[in-house]
Amino acid sequence: MFETLSKGFRAARHRLAGVTELTEENIDQALRDVRLSLLEADVELGVTKRFLARVKEKMVGQVVQTVVKTKDKKIKVGPAERFIAACEEELTAMMAYDGPAIEFAPGSRPTGIMMVGLQGSGKTTSSGKLARLLEKEYKKKPLLVAADVARPGAIEQLQVLGERLNIPVFAIPGGDPLEICKQGFAEAKRLKRDVVIYDTAGRLSIDEALMAELDHIKEAVKPENTFLVVDAMIGQDSVKTAQAFHERLGLSGVILTKLDGDARGGAAISMREATGAPVKFVGMG
């Protein structure tokens, strides 16, 4: 994604090279280069349009300083540099997040992390990775809860991951997902585990049955964190998917998986702009 965006910014910079004044015409030409790079990176069309409109609003009619004083010397700043800086500022403003990666519960209550998303997005693998991160980096004692009874092999997959990581897994094969999560929370308290990760079911596409199930689980266990796990290859569907989960569940953040594959990764920008939910983690491998 960053390579694709950099290519567009370089093209815009070259187009503005030698220009002494920014006008609506030459700004539009430079914005076209950025637009192509954003769309090529799989940033959703509506998000791209809004981003470009904000950059254009910043730049049109602005008097561009040609010399900037620093402590040691004066540096020439042309319209090309100012345009790129405006794009960078806008991207930074879109993606910036100052809060913690994980919200922890106060007192002795185990912290809840609910993993949601479509089937095949990498929820189960990400649950294991997150459990390992919590144990190694945060010095926590997580419990994995296998609440996906719909996908064949999902429970076994989580149990294998738990065994490899030496992290306990709570499961009731063939049980009701809501009851599994309730009992999983009680088991965490019994075992004195301080974080519970709920690996919930997904579907090939969003439907009411899935959303109702997730809604009931969230209402029952009241997790401090609700993470949408999204395959980086989701592309233009990212906004629709993220908005549907966010409107129903209120997402705390996004985990973007398989970012080291052929994915363009523009979904990160699209989902952040559309829902306000920050990208908390990215998965590699």
Side-chain angles (χ1 to χ4, degrees):
M1 176 181 74
F2 296 116
E3 288 173 12
T4 307
L5 293 181
S6 296
K7 184 173 70 176
F9 292 144
R10 278 196 299 272
R13 186 172 185 164
H14 291 153
R15 191 179 292 279
L16 292 172
V19 170
T20 56
E21 185 184 354
L22 285 174
T23 64
E24 190 161 353
E25 185 182 354
N26 58 35
I27 287 172
D28 282 341
Q29 290 172 350
L31 286 172
R32 270 197 292 273
D33 292 320
V34 176
R35 178 178 183 271
L36 285 172
S37 70
L38 288 168
L39 293 176
E40 195 179 331
D42 265 344
V43 179
E44 196 262 346
L45 180 60
V47 173
T48 298
K49 285 180 175 177
R50 291 192 291 276
F51 170 79
L52 297 176
R54 291 194 294 269
V55 173
K56 184 174 180 178
E57 188 181 356
K58 276 185 176 182
M59 298 309 298
V60 172
Q62 186 180 112
V63 177
V64 180
Q65 241 183 320
T66 55
V67 177
V68 174
K69 288 182 180 179
T70 65
K71 286 183 178 179
D72 304 319
K73 56 185 176 178
K74 292 180 179 179
I75 301 172
K76 285 190 176 181
V77 179
E81 286 75 19
R82 188 67 198 93
F83 176 82
I84 297 302
C87 290
E88 183 187 354
E89 287 164 13
E90 194 55 45
L91 273 174
T92 303
M94 282 172 67
M95 300 303 292
Y97 174 69
D98 296 327
I102 299 171
E103 295 284 350
F104 291 102
S108 59
R109 172 188 160 87
T111 295
I113 301 175
M114 187 174 169
M115 308 287 270
V116 303
L118 297 179
Q119 200 172 85
S121 60
K123 288 190 302 299
T124 302
T125 304
S126 296
S127 295
K129 287 182 176 183
L130 194 55
R132 184 178 186 276
L133 179 78
L134 282 159
E135 189 177 59
K136 300 289 183 185
E137 301 293 327
Y138 291 87
K139 309 303 178 191
K140 297 292 183 181
K141 295 183 290 183
L143 171 72
L144 291 161
V145 175
D148 183 358
V149 297
R151 178 171 68 86
I155 293 174
E156 187 183 354
Q157 183 187 353
L158 195 65
Q159 287 172 330
V160 169
L161 284 170
E163 192 177 331
R164 285 181 185 172
L165 297 168
N166 199 26
I167 291 171
V169 176
F170 179 81
I172 305 175
D176 174 65
L178 177 59
E179 195 57 37
I180 291 168
C181 290
K182 284 180 179 177
Q183 289 191 35
F185 182 78
E187 181 72 358
K189 290 200 287 187
R190 189 183 72 80
L191 296 175
K192 293 183 169 53
R193 309 301 288 188
D194 48 18
V195 180
V196 192
I197 300 173
Y198 304 97
D199 179 29
T200 67
R203 300 282 193 279
L204 293 175
S205 59
I206 294 163
D207 61 24
E208 180 54 31
L210 168 66
M211 287 304 186
E213 179 180 297
L214 297 176
D215 208 0
H216 293 150
I217 290 172
K218 179 159 188 178
E219 191 177 337
V221 298
K222 296 179 173 53
E224 283 71 25
N225 308 269
T226 304
F227 291 151
L228 174 65
V229 183
V230 178
D231 186 332
M233 292 186 286
I234 192 171
Q236 296 286 320
D237 286 336
S238 59
V239 168
K240 183 175 70 175
T241 302
Q243 282 178 333
F245 278 98
H246 189 54
E247 285 166 10
R248 192 69 178 258
L249 301 170
L251 300 174
S252 330
V254 172
I255 298 176
L256 202 62
T257 63
K258 309 173 195 175
L259 202 60
D260 53 341
D262 295 331
R264 293 163 184 171
I269 295 174
S270 301
M271 292 185 292
R272 173 64 163 149
E273 204 273 348
T275 65
V279 177
K280 294 289 188 83
F281 299 99
V282 295
M284 304 287 188

